[in-house]
Amino acid sequence: MDFSLTEEQKLIQQAARDFAQNELLPGVIDRDEKQEFPKQEVQKMAELGFLGMMVDPKYGGSGLDTLSYVLVMEELSKVDASSSVIVSVNNSLVCWGLENFGTEEQKEKYLTRLATGEIIGAFCLSEPEAGSDATSQKTTAIDKGDHYVLNGTKNWITNGGTAGVYLVIAQTDKEKKHRGINALIVEKGTPGFEIGPKENKLGIRGSDTHSLIFNDVKVPKENRIGDDGFGFKFAMKTLSGGRIGIAAQALGIAAGAYELALKYSKERKAFGTEISNHQAIAFKLADMHTSIQAARLLVYQAAKDKDNGSNYDVSGAMAKLYASKVAMETAIEAVQIHGGNGFVKDYHVERLMRDAKITQIYEGTSEIQKIVISRSILK
Ligand code: CAA
């Protein structure tokens, strides 16, 4: 296992670090408070090529490997997880799904615009009664010959209000259960497609999360991804890679909280010395540093598995399970090290603590990751 970075990967990592410090950090508290989508920042990330990182340059992407993408996710997430989830969904769920399973026409029509960031995408699987139990789709896509008619509601959709293109998972043939599910490309503005209210969230408040309502929405058959009935497999295969992106986000949140706590502990004095000189604080820092490095190795391993063409369903699940736990625990300890200041918005760690929680929930809860991992051990 060699995780030494190439010169190109180091440059990409530095570019993301600089961007996060110079462009994301200044407005991050304000955007969090106002639940404001980082519109200009997303535009700048598009210019840096962060929205279509792994996409072939012939479709407007940067043609990079998964490890480079993970490095960018980590750096962005140290500062602003609301911005990094936009990057993650667009890259891993929307662009990757279209590039790997879309037709040439779909790629030309949609992928190029998504990879360059002209538009962003949303991935629509979850429903009011189908979150973890993703095969229980109630949204229907009824086959009408040359088109489908889509009806139903999707919930908690990242980029829900701002996306231009939505990949919607829906049940066509109930009898066939998960083998009767399809994935359809739906454009914003299609008649009958309404964007529901924006959610008022605990964390990642800069990302816009909406419910979506489909009332007799006509979707041309050429907008189906893959063969009839491929929709659930499409969602699972896409989410396997998405989980690596969210694992990298969790790693970044943990590393960001740790770096702030380390700096603060060397500046803040109590009982006549910097608090880092007290073993109670030094041991917390030692634990944080160790678990972050362990999470990093799991995340990089999953990225390497994907780049090497190995199976990454389980390594991605393990990376997400562990990194999200480390993110939550590290952010809580970072608040503790900051004491009263940790409870104040200006010091950033309270926001990182709120942002950390979602990494244990979206793209498969920690319990779902344990299902994936335990099934692979026990089969
Ligand atoms: N790749 C390919 N196919 C897969 C797969 C994978 N990784 N995982 C499962 N499948 C296939 C199975 O082979 C099976 O197909 P066949 O019967 O044809 O062989 C089919 O999918 C059903 O699999 P299971 O029998 O294992 O299904 P299950 O009902 O037991 O559920 C589950 C499996 C892993 C729990 C799945 O439901 C799951 O992942 N749930 C969580 C959903 C999730 O992650 N939601 C996140 C929402 S998206 C989001 O958060 C994005 C965002 O905005 C940030």
Side-chain angles (χ1 to χ4, degrees):
M1 285 189 274
D2 176 13
F3 296 122
S4 49
L5 303 182
T6 62
E7 281 312 307
E8 187 188 41
Q9 286 165 339
K10 284 184 200 162
L11 283 172
I12 292 162
Q13 185 181 44
Q14 190 60 48
R17 192 172 291 160
D18 292 344
F19 175 79
Q21 285 301 320
N22 300 333
E23 306 285 347
L24 294 180
L25 187 61
V28 68
I29 294 175
D30 209 38
R31 289 194 298 276
D32 173 74
E33 223 161 280
K34 295 181 183 153
Q35 295 212 83
E36 194 179 294
F37 184 82
K39 197 166 173 234
Q40 286 172 357
E41 291 74 11
V42 169
Q43 191 49 47
K44 287 179 187 163
M45 289 195 285
E47 285 160 19
L48 285 167
F50 290 170
L51 292 188
M53 290 196 68
M54 294 166 288
V55 175
D56 191 320
K58 78 174 174 182
Y59 301 114
S62 305
L64 295 166
D65 58 6
T66 313
L67 188 56
S68 301
Y69 162 60
V70 155
L71 294 170
V72 168
M73 279 300 296
E74 184 181 342
E75 292 305 323
L76 302 179
S77 308
K78 282 182 184 174
V79 174
D80 184 4
S82 294
S83 292
S84 72
V85 71
I86 299 163
V87 171
S88 182
V89 167
N90 204 66
N91 273 286
S92 326
L93 299 185
V94 181
C95 287
W96 189 85
L98 274 175
E99 186 166 21
N100 283 278
F101 304 110
T103 61
E104 204 46 46
E105 291 72 29
Q106 290 168 350
K107 290 182 207 178
E108 272 162 28
K109 191 166 176 193
Y110 299 111
L111 182 58
T112 309
R113 295 171 68 206
L114 287 158
T116 55
E118 183 191 327
I119 52 170
I120 56 170
F123 180 84
C124 315
L125 172 68
S126 304
E127 298 188 352
E129 290 171 61
S132 291
D133 184 10
T135 57
S136 294
Q137 293 288 306
K138 299 277 186 303
T139 299
T140 53
I142 302 305
D143 190 338
K144 296 283 183 186
D146 65 344
H147 66 276
Y148 290 96
V149 174
L150 197 56
N151 276 290
T153 302
K154 293 288 173 183
N155 262 31
W156 312 296
I157 304 302
T158 303
N159 301 339
T162 43
V165 161
Y166 298 76
L167 306 187
V168 182
I169 314 298
Q171 189 83 47
T172 296
D173 187 340
K174 208 164 182 275
E175 299 286 298
K176 292 187 182 161
K177 301 187 175 163
H178 64 267
R179 294 186 187 134
I181 289 174
N182 279 309
L184 305 177
I185 305 168
V186 182
E187 293 181 28
K188 181 182 242 158
T190 308
F193 173 23
E194 279 172 48
I195 293 162
K198 182 170 172 168
E199 301 292 352
N200 186 1
K201 306 192 299 278
L202 171 75
I204 54 159
R205 288 167 57 80
S207 105
D208 69 323
T209 309
H210 288 255
S211 53
L212 305 174
I213 304 115
F214 302 93
N215 276 318
D216 289 333
V217 177
K218 246 176 112 172
V219 184
K221 223 166 212 173
E222 65 256 27
N223 280 23
R224 187 184 72 211
I225 302 174
D227 293 336
D228 184 30
F230 179 65
F232 191 73
K233 283 238 156 104
F234 169 79
M236 289 297 109
K237 282 174 183 281
T238 306
L239 275 167
S240 281
R243 288 167 184 165
I244 302 175
I246 299 303
Q249 180 185 50
L251 169 63
I253 293 172
Y258 163 74
E259 285 172 15
L260 288 171
L262 179 64
K263 182 168 177 286
Y264 185 83
S265 73
K266 290 182 187 167
E267 292 164 359
R268 173 78 178 181
K269 288 189 175 153
F271 304 103
T273 185
E274 288 78 16
I275 60 171
S276 57
N277 291 326
H278 298 299
Q279 201 177 60
I281 302 299
F283 278 15
K284 280 189 197 299
L285 292 168
D287 282 340
M288 290 156 100
H289 185 59
T290 306
S291 51
I292 288 168
Q293 186 56 13
R296 185 170 285 119
L297 293 174
L298 281 176
V299 176
Y300 289 10
Q301 179 65 55
K304 285 257 178 181
D305 285 348
K306 186 157 175 280
D307 288 333
N308 294 338
S310 307
N311 187 295
Y312 52 91
D313 297 339
V314 177
S315 55
M318 291 197 296
K320 183 180 183 290
L321 173 68
Y322 188 69
S324 61
K325 179 172 176 280
V326 170
M328 199 67 244
E329 289 173 358
T330 305
I332 288 173
E333 288 295 59
V335 170
Q336 192 68 17
I337 290 172
H338 279 75
N341 283 329
F343 214 60
V344 172
K345 290 191 185 285
D346 295 352
Y347 285 80
H348 296 283
V349 281
E350 65 81 33
R351 177 173 43 79
L352 290 169
M353 187 182 84
R354 288 186 284 107
D355 288 351
K357 188 61 209 167
I358 191 62
T359 66
Q360 295 183 303
I361 298 173
Y362 59 18
E363 301 206 19
T365 61
S366 295
E367 291 73 15
I368 291 294
Q369 307 313 323
K370 288 182 192 179
I371 290 179
V372 173
I373 299 161
S374 61
R375 280 182 183 173
S376 89
I377 300 167
L378 297 168
K379 79 178 174 200

